[in-house]
Structure formats: structure tokens, C-alpha cells
Amino acid sequence: MGNPEINNQNLEKDIQTDFHKEMSYGDYLSLDMILSSQNRLSNHHDEMLFIIIHQTSELWMKLIIHELNAAIQCIHRNNLEPSFKMLSRVSRIQQQLIQSWSVLSTLTPSDYMEFREKLGHASGFQSYQNRLIEFALGKKNPHTLVVYKHQPELYQVLNKSLHEPSIYDAAVLALAAHGLVIDEEALNRDWSQSYASNASVEDAWLTVYRNTEKYWDLYELAEKLVDIGHQQQLWRFHHMTTVERIIGHKQGTGGSSGVNYLKRVLDQPFFPELLSLRTKL
């Protein structure tokens, strides 16, 4: 480590060292608040891991929502190119989230059982940010909102998102804006319902994929969406396998069937026509 006094003397002369009246790194990031928010309810060593994994995941989810909402607005304005960077960023964040499951998998079943009862009925199923991401990707279920009725402001945020077009709805509207024929029922549907596959949408995407030079921006958008849908499915899969590894087929703390519920969710892919068209190309 060396002598601190010698190290200080060797600092470059312009490095700021006096922060009595200046904003520091910790001030800017509110680290005093962030790093004091890991409040274990047990004395078990591994509960710290459990808390930090979930807290950092929520921070990454906040950034995903930020990027998805901005990308949706770009697509609505028929300004597709800026959305590509945003969607690429979402994909990279998803990779970070997927990797986090491998860290959590170091939690053994015996260790988790030492503090699991402290969670009560708290469960990842209640993550409102994960719900907002699913809504933004087109997976909507009005019945899930009942979980948030005890928080009226949050309920309103989720209800608003539920009734807005998803990023895939925005992409379908963009197809029509580029002169491709889309059924009216796909353009003016009930946004609060999960997207259902439509033959005219598949035909339009097939036209895009068969004429990539003419529809390059739409083609690029489609591939960005496929990447995000794929990463989200990988996240779901690693979630399921990590839960299975730690608690087997026990009921979830929030009352769900646990692994069985997560397996059913895996059968609900995103952006259906972007997958089905590949068979027809």
C-alpha cells in the first residue's frame, strides 16, 4: 500500500482534494443514502447478497424503463434511428441482469432457509418496475394491478402504462406509417390487453425482411426488438433455474406456484410475428 503521506505528495497537482465547499463523487451519487439501504432482517451473512442483488437489479430495471420509454417516443415520431442506440443499451443491460442470477446462485438452499421466513409475503412478483418492463414489451395483464392497490400513486403509474401502446404496438404503427398494409384491429386495439398475433402484421414484416434495402430502418428496428425479446426470455429462464436451484418447487413467498409459474411464463414469447416470419422466409 505504501506510505499515505508519500502517496498524497505524488498526486497530480490539479487533482481536487478539498470538498468542504464542492460536490464530491459520493455527494453526486447520493452514496450515503444508497449504501445505507441494505437493512438485513436477520443476522445471516448471505442476506446481504440477497438484498444487493435485488436492489441493483431494480436500478438496472429503472434504466431499462428510461430507455424503452424514450425509444417508444422516437418510434411514434417516426424517428427510428435514435431508438436503435437506446434499444442496444437495453439489450446490454439485460445481459447484466442475466449475469446477476449466476451470482445469486451461490446462495445455497440451506443458507436461504435461514432467513427466507423474514421476507414474509414480499416477492419479486411484486416488482412494479419488472411489471412496467413487461407492459412496455407488450405483455399486459390488468389483473396484476390489484397487487399495488395499497399504493395509489404507484397504481396510477402502472394503470397509465397498461393503457399505453407498447414498443411493439409503436413498431406496428410504424409499419403502417411506411405504407405497409395493417389490419385496423391491430392499429386501434385495446392497448391494455396483451398483444395477439395478426396475419397482416406478419405479412408486413415479411415484406420488410424481403426488401431490407428499401425498409432498412424498419428491418433494423425489428432486429433490435428480437434481440430484446430474446434477452428477456433468457432472463426469465435464468430466473426460473436459479429459483429451482435454491428452493426447488416450493411455493413462492408471494403465494405463486414458484418454479411452475415461472415455467408457464416462459411459454409467452415477445413480438410473435418477428419469430414466426423466420419460418416463412
Side-chain angles (χ1 to χ4, degrees), residues 89-221:
R89 184 173 294 159
V90 169
S91 178
R92 300 301 187 276
I93 299 166
Q94 289 172 310
Q95 290 170 17
Q96 292 285 338
L97 288 168
I98 291 166
Q99 282 297 327
S100 71
W101 293 122
S102 68
V103 181
L104 187 59
S105 69
T106 64
L107 178 66
T108 67
S110 297
D111 288 330
Y112 182 46
M113 288 305 115
E114 291 292 325
F115 63 85
R116 187 179 189 238
E117 65 177 16
K118 297 291 185 181
L119 303 180
H121 291 298
S123 164
F125 179 83
Q126 298 145 20
S127 168
Y128 76 88
Q129 292 200 125
N130 186 50
R131 194 68 58 208
L132 286 172
I133 291 170
E134 296 260 313
F135 286 179
L137 296 180
K139 289 299 176 186
K140 299 186 177 183
N141 182 350
H143 301 294
T144 59
L145 265 63
V146 69
V147 176
Y148 311 99
K149 279 206 166 180
H150 67 294
Q151 296 173 287
E153 290 185 8
L154 180 56
Y155 182 90
Q156 289 303 317
V157 169
L158 285 155
N159 192 51
K160 180 175 181 292
S161 177
L162 180 73
H163 288 87
E164 291 176 337
S166 70
I167 195 164
Y168 194 56
D169 291 317
V172 172
L173 291 169
L175 289 172
H178 281 75
L180 294 157
V181 178
I182 305 293
D183 290 344
E184 187 66 21
E185 64 187 43
L187 298 175
N188 292 294
R189 66 184 196 85
D190 181 353
W191 308 123
S192 70
Q193 300 300 311
S194 280
Y195 179 84
S197 186
N198 179 279
S200 71
V201 173
E202 183 182 77
D203 289 342
W205 284 125
L206 276 167
T207 299
V208 169
Y209 273 73
R210 287 168 175 159
N211 300 273
T212 56
E213 291 187 9
K214 180 178 179 181
Y215 298 106
W216 182 263
D217 279 357
L218 289 171
Y219 174 61
E220 183 74 9
L221 174 61

